[in-house]
């Protein structure tokens, strides 16, 4: 079963969209296996956004993600990485489709509400960065037979 990392950013938390965002992934049929409500340290932020270290917007990414609490999550399911990216919508909310999180609630690229892993390798490294193995719960909801063959 595939897993992905998602984080509701400080703007999503401040705008009280946490429940709505989680609901969308539950309704899609994905399984929540890890959840933390936390303040992000500068060290964690710099590690998370390390691939952007040489880009001019790196400092603003770190400042923003550390500016308030986030909800860090691990979700599991068949095709969860690609499926979550579809639920999230395009990076720029102005071009995100209606019905996606960013399309429905986002205002601009700097306040796009949520982060989602973009590939299996990224998901694996981000999950390991944000969660210890013992913080993840292995379980199978009884409803799964009604969602998947």
């Amino acid at each position: 079963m595939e897993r992905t990392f998602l984080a509701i950013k400080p703007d999503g938390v401040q705008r009280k969209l946490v429940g709505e965002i989680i609901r969308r992934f539950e309704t899609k049929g994905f399984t929540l296996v890890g959840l933390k409500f936390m303040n992000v340290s500068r060290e964690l932020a710099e590690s998370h956004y390390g691939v952007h270290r040489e880009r001019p917007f790196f400092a603003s990414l770190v400042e923003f993600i550390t500016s308030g609490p986030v909800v860090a999550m691990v979700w599991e399911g068949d095709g969860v990485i690609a499926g979550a990216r579809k639920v999230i919508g395009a990076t720029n909310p102005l071009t995100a489709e209606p019905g996606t999180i960013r399309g429905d609630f986002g205002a601009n690229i700097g306040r796009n509400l949520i982060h989602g892993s973009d590939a299996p390798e990224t998901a694996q490294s981000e999950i390991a960065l944000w969660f210890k193995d013992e913080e993840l719960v292995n379980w199978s909801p009884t409803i799964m037979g009604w969602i998947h063959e």
Side-chain angles (χ1 to χ4, degrees):
M1 196 61 71
E2 187 175 75
R3 287 185 172 179
T4 194
F5 173 76
L6 303 177
I8 303 172
K9 298 176 184 179
D11 54 332
V13 173
Q14 292 289 339
R15 292 180 54 196
K16 299 180 183 273
L17 294 171
V18 172
E20 172 64 24
I21 291 170
I22 290 173
R23 182 193 64 78
R24 289 183 181 218
F25 294 103
E26 286 182 321
T27 302
K28 186 73 175 167
F30 299 132
T31 302
L32 183 64
V33 297
L35 179 72
K36 290 183 185 180
F37 184 59
M38 61 188 289
N39 289 308
V40 179
S41 69
R42 179 163 297 281
E43 179 184 355
L44 176 56
E46 289 177 354
S47 293
H48 179 77
Y49 288 122
V51 297
H52 301 299
R53 190 172 303 279
E54 301 305 319
R55 297 210 162 145
F57 55 83
F58 175 74
S60 64
L61 287 175
V62 171
E63 286 302 314
F64 179 63
I65 203 74
T66 60
S67 69
V70 304
V71 176
M73 302 173 286
V74 178
W75 289 86
E76 184 176 86
D78 290 331
V80 72
I81 296 169
R85 302 284 297 172
K86 286 187 179 269
V87 171
I88 290 168
T91 302
N92 185 343
L94 298 177
T95 60
E97 294 292 323
T100 65
I101 292 166
R102 290 176 175 157
D104 290 350
F105 304 112
N108 65 56
I109 199 164
R111 299 290 181 266
N112 66 5
L113 305 167
I114 186 168
H115 165 82
S117 300
D118 61 1
E121 302 77 21
T122 310
Q124 187 175 20
S125 65
E126 289 177 345
I127 291 167
L129 182 63
W130 289 77
F131 287 86
K132 298 174 186 163
D133 285 341
E134 61 269 17
E135 294 175 315
L136 302 176
V137 178
N138 293 308
W139 70 293
S140 184
T142 57
I143 195 171
M144 294 313 277
W146 297 104
I147 297 171
H148 301 286
E149 291 183 296

